[in-house]
Amino acid sequence: MSKTSRFSGKRLTLAVLAMSSVAALGVVLAAVFAPYVSAELNPWLEPHQIVDPAPARIAKGRMVGDYFAVEDVGGGVFAIGEPRYYQRNYAYLIIGQERALLFDSGSGTRDISGVVAGLTRLPVTVMASHLHYDHLGGIAPFAHVAMIDLPQTRADVSRGLFRAGRYEYLGLIDHLAPPPVKVGEWLAPGAVIDLGGRSLTVLNTPGHTPTSAALWDAAGHRLFIGDYIYPTTLYAFLPGASLSAYHHTARRLLTTLPADTVLWTAHCCRKGEGVAAPWLSMRDLRDLDAALTRVARGQARPTGFYPRIYPVNRQMTLATGFGWNNR
Ligand SMILES: [Zn+2]
């Protein structure tokens, strides 16, 4: 072997070593930052149509125009759904004697405010269950916005305007920028919203996101719960999601809420019931609590690599990240 070939052989070995170290470092970083990496890669890994071009087929309620579904769920509450939107979101218009509250603003794919105006003439306050784009995206047309009062949400205010962070909003999945929001009312956990003749208690329900909110209508035996729980697959692997927070919230709700509370959730659909306002019961919450216990004890076996999917019950599965970034 000549001197030059020994030299270039050494260089080749060094280059291979350097390249494999970079690759290994990349794998480690991708694993550590998996929630962020998966959100960033989502538009390429899971390309999707935003609106189904086919007419909506709803099992309950009526269509308003060709996009929104409106369902009277009783007790002065209307569910407003987006059955053609790929995430099938449902917002809730809760009507009091003096004002109304819209819980979630819709995805913003179409303007929901005309539908709301067709259902009530009362002044409307909008509050998002959490900051993800499919719940806050439709906020722009509304003048009065309420926000859960937490250090993390206060930190998003700059020059009088609230703007959710990139990984709080997650609009990057559909190339959407977080909207600037003028918050008119800050509601701390435990605050009571008086709509006239009915009141709602604000709860902080971390798990899906740290700043998730739920509204408890104690007299109506209802909890408007956003994305903490809903039929289909629960997302506990996105940036900010936490399995221990999920578990803690489940325990707290199970000890606080009466057993006959109906959970009105933000994503359709219940198995076997077609497209309709998605609800669950306290029994489903108990099943979620049990599933979270099994996951924490290592007694459940997931399918998939990222996210990992665990069974919960007939209505739900739970999608989590890796143990080290999803605590
Ligand atoms: Zn959602």
Side-chain angles (χ1 to χ4, degrees):
M1 194 186 272
S2 75
K3 237 183 189 176
T4 15
S5 74
R6 213 184 302 147
F7 183 63
S8 56
K10 229 182 208 173
R11 270 197 4 190
L12 187 69
T13 317
L14 276 174
V16 168
L17 261 174
M19 268 157 60
S20 37
S21 320
V22 167
L25 184 67
V27 170
V28 169
L29 286 175
V32 170
F33 296 103
Y36 303 91
V37 173
S38 81
E40 292 288 349
L41 295 182
N42 184 280
W44 291 275
L45 296 181
E46 289 176 40
H48 50 260
Q49 203 164 32
I50 307 289
V51 177
D52 184 348
R57 284 187 179 189
I58 53 173
K60 285 182 183 170
R62 62 189 167 91
M63 291 300 291
V64 175
D66 66 355
Y67 183 76
F68 288 103
V70 170
E71 184 181 331
D72 184 344
V73 296
V77 180
F78 290 96
I80 306 175
E82 297 174 74
R84 291 172 56 202
Y85 179 58
Y86 75 108
Q87 301 208 53
R88 289 181 166 173
N89 283 61
Y90 271 79
Y92 293 90
L93 181 65
I94 306 156
I95 301 176
Q97 286 160 7
E98 284 149 30
R99 61 176 181 139
L101 189 135
L102 180 66
F103 194 49
D104 282 338
S105 67
S107 68
T109 308
R110 299 269 181 94
D111 183 355
I112 200 173
S113 65
V115 181
V116 173
L119 294 169
T120 182
R121 290 186 172 185
L122 295 172
V124 175
T125 299
V126 186
M127 180 174 179
S129 62
H130 60 294
L131 303 175
H132 286 163
Y133 64 104
D134 52 323
H135 301 258
L136 188 65
I139 203 85
F142 295 97
H144 193 234
V145 176
M147 178 76 64
I148 190 162
D149 194 352
L150 294 169
Q152 299 101 309
T153 47
R154 288 278 185 171
D156 285 341
V157 178
S158 168
R159 291 184 206 151
L161 285 177
F162 174 93
R163 203 185 289 260
R166 180 176 178 83
Y167 298 109
E168 286 177 321
Y169 190 61
L170 287 181
L172 58 108
I173 287 171
D174 284 337
H175 310 287
L176 300 167
V181 182
K182 181 115 190 65
V183 176
E185 199 176 346
W186 290 92
L187 298 165
V192 174
I193 307 168
D194 184 1
L195 299 178
R198 79 183 306 165
S199 54
L200 304 164
T201 306
V202 176
L203 307 179
N204 178 208
T205 48
H208 179 66
T209 75
T211 58
S212 289
L215 298 179
W216 182 26
D217 177 357
H221 303 261
R222 291 159 180 236
L223 181 73
F224 301 94
I225 182 73
D227 276 5
Y228 175 80
I229 191 170
Y230 51 81
T232 72
T233 300
L234 305 178
Y235 277 24
F237 64 94
L238 297 172
S242 156
L243 276 185
S244 58
Y246 236 110
H247 210 170
H248 195 259
T249 298
R251 290 277 160 84
R252 191 162 45 87
L253 294 177
L254 284 167
T255 51
T256 316
L257 304 177
D260 63 351
T261 306
V262 176
L263 313 175
W264 289 96
T265 78
H267 289 283
C268 191
C269 303
R270 289 175 63 81
K271 207 163 239 173
E273 294 185 16
V275 180
W279 61 274
L280 291 170
S281 69
M282 291 296 282
R283 198 172 294 175
D284 294 305
L285 188 58
R286 225 167 291 142
D287 289 344
L288 174 59
D289 177 48
L292 286 161
T293 302
R294 288 194 296 273
V295 172
R297 290 180 182 165
Q299 294 167 339
R301 188 167 290 196
T303 55
F305 177 66
Y306 196 93
R308 306 161 148 218
I309 314 281
Y310 291 93
V312 177
N313 67 14
R314 183 175 176 264
Q315 293 292 351
M316 293 177 285
T317 54
L318 175 69
T320 76
F322 302 124
W324 58 83
N325 52 21
N326 199 198
R327 286 183 218 282

